[in-house]
Amino acid sequence: MEAKLQILNAVKVVGITVLTIGISIFLYGFFVSDYSAITGIGIGTVMGAIFIFLMGVFFVATEEMHEKVNQNIRSIQ
């Protein structure tokens, strides 16, 4: 259980960091810069942060379900 919490905490920290960077790039590109490509990079970075977080949560949930199925199989035998 401790390993799952460590994975969730790592995913949370990385996701928040990338999300903050993405939001700041987006705001800089939208309000300050004249180049629209910077805005697109900010949007892509925000979407990447969301993807990283969702994949991490999915990984932990899959691992949890795998362990529960293995415990049920062992209890049946």
Side-chain angles (χ1 to χ4, degrees):
M1 187 65 175
E2 185 67 31
K4 292 182 191 86
L5 289 176
Q6 288 177 347
I7 292 172
L8 280 175
N9 285 334
V11 167
K12 181 176 64 174
V13 168
V14 169
I16 288 173
T17 304
V18 175
L19 183 67
T20 304
I21 292 170
I23 289 173
S24 62
I25 291 172
F26 172 76
L27 291 175
Y28 174 77
F30 193 73
F31 292 116
V32 177
S33 179
D34 291 333
Y35 300 109
S36 62
I38 295 175
T39 305
I41 292 171
I43 292 171
T45 307
V46 168
M47 291 181 68
I50 294 168
F51 182 73
I52 289 170
F53 179 75
L54 288 177
M55 288 304 294
V57 170
F58 178 74
F59 175 71
V60 170
T62 304
E63 189 175 351
E64 182 76 24
M65 289 303 295
H66 183 66
E67 286 181 4
K68 284 185 180 183
V69 167
N70 283 341
Q71 287 175 356
N72 288 339
I73 290 173
R74 282 188 226 128
S75 67
I76 292 172
Q77 294 173 351

